[in-house]
Amino acid sequence: MYLKQLNMVNYRNYKQLNVQFSPNINIFIGKNAQGKTNLLESIYYLAFARSHRTNVDRQLINFESPFAKVSSRIYKRQTSNILELVTSNRGKKASINHLEQKRLSAYIGQLNVVLFSPENLNLIKGSPSQRRRFLDLEFGQIDNRYLISLARYQRILKQRNTFLKKMTYQKEPDFLYLEVLTRQLVDVAAIVIELRLKYLTHLEQMAKDIHFQISNQTETLAFHYQTANYDFKQKNDKQTVVDFLINQFSKVQNREIKLGTTLIGPHRDDINFEINDKDLQSFGSQGQQRSCVLSLKLAEIKLIKQVTHESPILLLDDVLSELDSKRQAALIEIIDEDIQTFITTTDLDSVSKELQHKPTIYEVSNGNLVNKGVKNDPK
Amino acid sequence: MQYPLPIAKLIESYMKLPGIGQKTATRLAFFTLNMEIEDIQDFSKSLVEVKTELHYCSICGNITQEDPCEICRDERVDRSSILVVEQPKDILSFENMGEYFGLYHVLNGVLSPMDGVSVDDLNIKSLIKRLQDHSVKEVILALNSSSEGEATAMYLSKLIKPSGIKVSRLASGLAVGSDIEYADDLTLKRAMTGRQEV
Ligand SMILES: Nc1ncnc2c1ncn2[C@@H]1O[C@H](COP(=O)(O)OP(=O)(O)O)[C@@H](O)[C@H]1O
Ligand SMILES: [Mg+2]
Ligand SMILES: [Zn+2]
């Protein structure tokens, strides 16, 4: 899939922008704080109806304006759809072909995007919540069932946490209602975990191959999904997960009541990465962690292709300068398979020569874009 | 500039209704200003009477002018089954369908800790008390399929089951997340015949 043009009104430092893109490689070049990331962010926003940099939509609205609007027509193999997001202090409106979508779960997934930015390099070392967020966004954009189950999980979790908080201070708490909430939570938790395991297993297989290549055939990458400090494998069916969770919940019940919060479930789960059977978080070098994240991102592209039969759009924000030629080569191999790519950089020199193969170059300055045309093959 | 007091107060009153913000309230207030005085008198009378003339039925929780309500008093009603609903207006949906001839019980909401609704806020104790009368053989739970509706149904069935009374739930002719209020007769009929014991 690709976008031919992008329209923005009052988005960040873009007052009004209407720009045409190449279906292949687009490079945005400019000094710092000119609006390069803002541009990629707007495409990401159009895909997920949320920014990767903030949870506060108000920050996306131009300082001097009451609303922000982003829209584009997305071309797929068989169809094309117009996506539009408008955000104001009254909330956001997402529409497909001018039809407003009441539920975001009906909107997300129309546009598939893979973003790679320097912050992602922290994925291995960073907090578990970053890794869960990664899973939720990536699997949410390819499987509507995942989005819906996750939303339902979060709602029941909120009810259960509120109830547990109340139980903490009650003389005669209602254990029957807690049992009901636990059962309800476990049922949907099992669906979320089942889907996470399913897609993670695919992702692992593909990332493993890519990582093996980048590491000159020396490193074998492996993922482990952990729930309640227990390694889960895909072969666990839903009933096994349900039984396991119910058993775990019975063990922590007293602590949950004392602390007034839910202690186990997908909102607490994590993934561990291993290289040659050694934990990457504790023992991996920075270079290994980088390769792992790159492999993961590239595997994500393949997973999206496999599930949706369309190539996602790739956004590379200031990340090329962080990747050496070997890693850039792995990237190029994937991009060559016909993926619309948006690259930002302050300096064309950090962009590998192969990536400069006939890209369309735009100069970004202070919320304006100037199309510098197609750069001729430097070779 | 501020609006004259009577209109400002009317705007404020309209804003107390669900889903009505300042803009709509202002439009409604100015519309009211141009209405015939007879219509306005009828309107204000209904507003007061809905509160003074209507009571909750002390048995089933339905809204009624006389206590107990018409259905609870009706000799022809099948007293072996109780249909449990969230709101009084749900009773109307089932009565209009014309396929159910038993008693009702209005919970007046669903369990929702987030909204501060707990067991004591709902007509649950009165339901359990009604079941002590041995004529009741079946309780049918007709709650919405929101996660709160489902949890409430599960809670009630766990509460009632030990007494040996049959508990069933409306089958999922109702789409997930849908409201009984908006279900058409056919959907309700299908849900009713396909109800499952829980
Ligand atoms: N809501 C907003 N309204 C106007 N300008 C904004 C808004 N949010 C950020 N900016 C401006 O955008 C610029 C940063 O853009 P960014 O895309 O992050 O830069 P870079 O080109 O370095 O990637 C800053 O000048 C900042 O002041
Ligand atoms: Mg930037
Ligand atoms: Zn009654």
Side-chain angles (χ1 to χ4, degrees):
Chain A
M1 66 177 68
Y2 67 98
L3 14 125
K4 235 185 214 167
Q5 60 168 202
L6 182 72
N7 296 296
M8 285 199 267
V9 182
N10 303 329
Y11 189 91
R12 295 271 195 189
N13 63 340
Y14 293 90
K15 280 290 217 181
Q16 176 101 39
L17 184 79
N18 191 336
V19 60
Q20 310 279 325
F21 292 129
S22 149
N24 306 308
I25 295 177
N26 298 274
I27 299 184
F28 303 111
I29 175 159
K31 295 203 207 77
N32 277 324
Q34 298 304 308
K36 299 186 298 298
T37 302
N38 292 347
L39 200 90
L40 297 198
E41 183 192 40
S42 74
I43 298 174
Y44 185 97
Y45 187 60
L46 207 52
F48 294 106
R50 64 187 283 180
S51 159
H52 64 289
R53 289 196 290 189
T54 173
N55 288 325
V56 186
D57 272 22
R58 205 176 335 108
Q59 293 178 7
L60 309 177
I61 304 173
N62 184 275
F63 297 140
E64 290 151 16
S65 314
F67 73 93
K69 185 168 112 175
V70 190
S71 67
S72 179
R73 187 186 275 274
I74 316 299
Y75 291 83
K76 299 191 185 179
R77 234 176 305 164
Q78 307 286 352
T79 57
S80 81
N81 289 313
I82 301 169
L83 301 187
E84 182 182 279
L85 274 179
V86 181
T87 182
S88 69
N89 57 8
R90 301 228 303 273
K92 70 187 140 208
K93 263 174 48 179
S95 39
I96 306 172
N97 296 330
H98 308 295
L99 277 180
E100 190 182 341
Q101 305 295 308
K102 287 264 147 51
R103 286 164 199 257
L104 281 181
S105 60
Y107 174 87
I108 296 167
Q110 294 292 320
L111 169 60
N112 294 125
V113 158
V114 172
L115 167 81
F116 193 11
S117 69
E119 296 94 77
N120 293 139
L121 294 169
N122 268 326
L123 193 73
I124 314 288
K125 275 256 192 271
S127 65
S129 67
Q130 273 175 279
R131 289 184 286 278
R132 284 191 296 268
R133 194 184 144 108
F134 167 78
L135 297 182
D136 292 345
L137 283 169
E138 300 319 333
F139 302 163
Q141 72 168 323
I142 52 174
D143 190 341
N144 204 250
R145 203 156 61 102
Y146 186 81
L147 271 188
I148 291 168
S149 304
L150 194 67
R152 190 178 152 84
Y153 178 79
Q154 270 149 2
R155 181 163 182 99
I156 298 168
L157 179 67
K158 212 163 152 193
Q159 294 283 22
R160 192 172 184 272
N161 281 342
T162 314
F163 189 65
L164 280 169
K165 240 168 238 123
K166 203 174 148 197
M167 284 181 94
T168 312
Y169 301 102
Q170 274 174 334
K171 281 218 183 70
E172 286 173 51
D174 187 348
F175 285 102
L176 186 66
Y177 184 49
L178 180 65
E179 187 190 324
V180 166
L181 288 174
T182 306
R183 181 69 218 199
Q184 228 187 354
L185 192 75
V186 163
D187 280 342
V188 60
I191 299 175
V192 172
I193 292 175
E194 194 192 12
L195 290 173
R196 280 185 182 174
L197 285 173
K198 174 181 156 191
Y199 291 124
L200 202 60
T201 310
H202 287 294
L203 214 51
E204 180 186 29
Q205 272 165 7
M206 296 183 282
K208 201 180 223 158
D209 288 346
I210 299 166
H211 189 98
F212 196 61
Q213 235 181 21
I214 304 177
S215 66
N216 294 322
Q217 280 85 29
T218 57
E219 295 178 359
T220 306
L221 183 65
F223 301 169
H224 297 276
Y225 187 79
Q226 306 234 304
T227 189
N229 292 319
Y230 183 88
D231 261 11
F232 258 57
K233 293 272 175 282
Q234 197 195 2
K235 62 178 184 292
N236 288 302
D237 61 16
K238 206 169 120 215
Q239 193 54 47
T240 319
V241 182
V242 167
D243 293 343
F244 171 79
L245 287 176
I246 290 204
N247 187 30
Q248 293 299 310
F249 270 113
S250 72
K251 286 187 199 161
V252 295
Q253 177 165 304
N254 290 337
R255 260 201 317 140
E256 285 196 319
I257 293 170
K258 203 170 142 214
L259 297 171
T261 192
T262 300
L263 293 175
I264 44 184
H267 69 295
R268 290 276 179 127
D269 290 354
D270 199 0
I271 342 167
N272 281 358
F273 301 93
E274 275 177 5
I275 283 179
N276 297 339
D277 300 323
K278 281 215 184 68
D279 183 45
L280 189 57
Q281 189 170 29
S282 327
F283 303 110
S285 69
Q286 206 196 18
Q288 285 176 321
Q289 295 187 7
R290 250 163 217 232
S291 298
C292 171
V293 174
L294 177 65
S295 308
L296 200 59
K297 285 283 162 184
L298 298 182
E300 209 181 298
I301 295 174
K302 290 193 161 183
L303 178 68
I304 292 173
K305 266 185 163 176
Q306 196 181 69
V307 176
T308 68
H309 308 293
E310 292 274 352
S311 299
I313 287 167
L314 179 61
L315 308 176
L316 300 172
D317 191 18
D318 272 336
V319 81
L320 290 178
S321 53
E322 310 274 344
L323 303 175
D324 59 19
S325 60
K326 180 105 199 147
R327 297 195 180 97
Q328 285 204 19
L331 195 68
I332 289 154
E333 197 177 312
I334 297 265
I335 294 176
D336 260 4
E337 301 167 21
D338 183 30
I339 290 179
Q340 189 180 31
T341 305
F342 296 88
I343 299 172
T344 71
T345 184
T346 47
D347 174 15
L348 264 188
D349 292 343
S350 64
V351 181
S352 139
K353 288 284 175 280
E354 284 83 356
L355 275 179
Q356 294 186 38
H357 181 72
K358 290 209 177 142
T360 307
I361 299 190
Y362 304 82
E363 203 170 273
V364 182
S365 94
N366 197 15
N368 275 307
L369 275 198
V370 181
N371 187 334
K372 293 292 206 180
V374 177
K375 193 166 182 262
N376 282 324
D377 200 335
K379 272 184 272 183
Chain B
M1 193 199 95
Q2 278 189 331
Y3 292 123
L5 195 60
I7 199 122
K9 277 172 77 177
L10 187 58
I11 291 173
E12 217 171 276
S13 298
Y14 277 129
M15 280 173 67
K16 289 188 177 145
L17 300 177
I20 294 191
Q22 178 135 27
K23 238 165 126 182
T24 313
T26 308
R27 200 162 49 83
L28 289 176
F30 278 97
F31 180 83
T32 313
L33 197 60
N34 290 324
M35 278 166 67
E36 299 291 333
I37 183 73
E38 290 82 13
D39 287 337
I40 293 185
Q41 274 160 350
D42 276 354
F43 188 16
S44 65
K45 198 159 155 256
S46 317
L47 279 176
V48 174
E49 280 178 2
V50 80
K51 207 62 194 171
T52 55
E53 300 286 306
L54 283 184
H55 312 277
Y56 289 109
C57 171
S58 57
I59 300 173
C60 72
N62 192 9
I63 41 169
T64 176
Q65 277 181 282
E66 276 173 71
D67 187 21
C69 74
E70 214 178 309
I71 300 173
C72 289
R73 273 182 292 135
D74 192 339
E75 294 289 326
R76 294 160 305 169
V77 161
D78 170 11
R79 297 196 170 258
S80 71
S81 92
I82 295 183
L83 186 89
V84 180
V85 294
E86 287 180 24
Q87 306 295 344
K89 57 183 192 288
D90 297 336
I91 292 186
L92 211 68
S93 305
F94 284 99
E95 287 293 285
N96 288 342
M97 174 188 75
E99 297 264 312
Y100 177 73
F101 307 102
L103 295 163
Y104 292 93
H105 194 85
V106 181
L107 286 184
N108 224 352
V110 281
L111 295 171
S112 177
M114 247 155 50
D115 303 305
V117 183
S118 63
V119 174
D120 295 333
D121 300 308
L122 301 178
N123 296 327
I124 289 181
K125 284 207 181 91
S126 57
L127 173 66
I128 302 302
K129 223 175 102 202
R130 283 178 86 183
L131 300 182
Q132 264 136 39
D133 169 1
H134 291 294
S135 52
V136 182
K137 299 281 181 282
E138 181 181 10
V139 173
I140 305 164
L141 303 171
L143 307 179
N144 291 321
S145 58
S146 62
S147 66
E148 289 75 22
E150 278 180 8
T152 309
M154 233 197 281
Y155 183 80
L156 290 177
S157 83
K158 279 179 190 283
L159 212 56
I160 299 168
K161 269 274 190 64
S163 68
I165 293 170
K166 184 176 161 198
V167 186
S168 58
R169 280 199 67 185
L170 279 207
S172 49
L174 296 171
V176 171
S178 69
D179 283 0
I180 284 173
E181 194 185 341
Y182 301 114
D184 58 40
D185 277 5
L186 192 70
T187 315
L188 272 190
K189 259 180 217 170
R190 225 181 286 138
M192 191 65 133
T193 40
R195 68 180 183 266
Q196 282 164 354
E197 194 164 345
V198 286

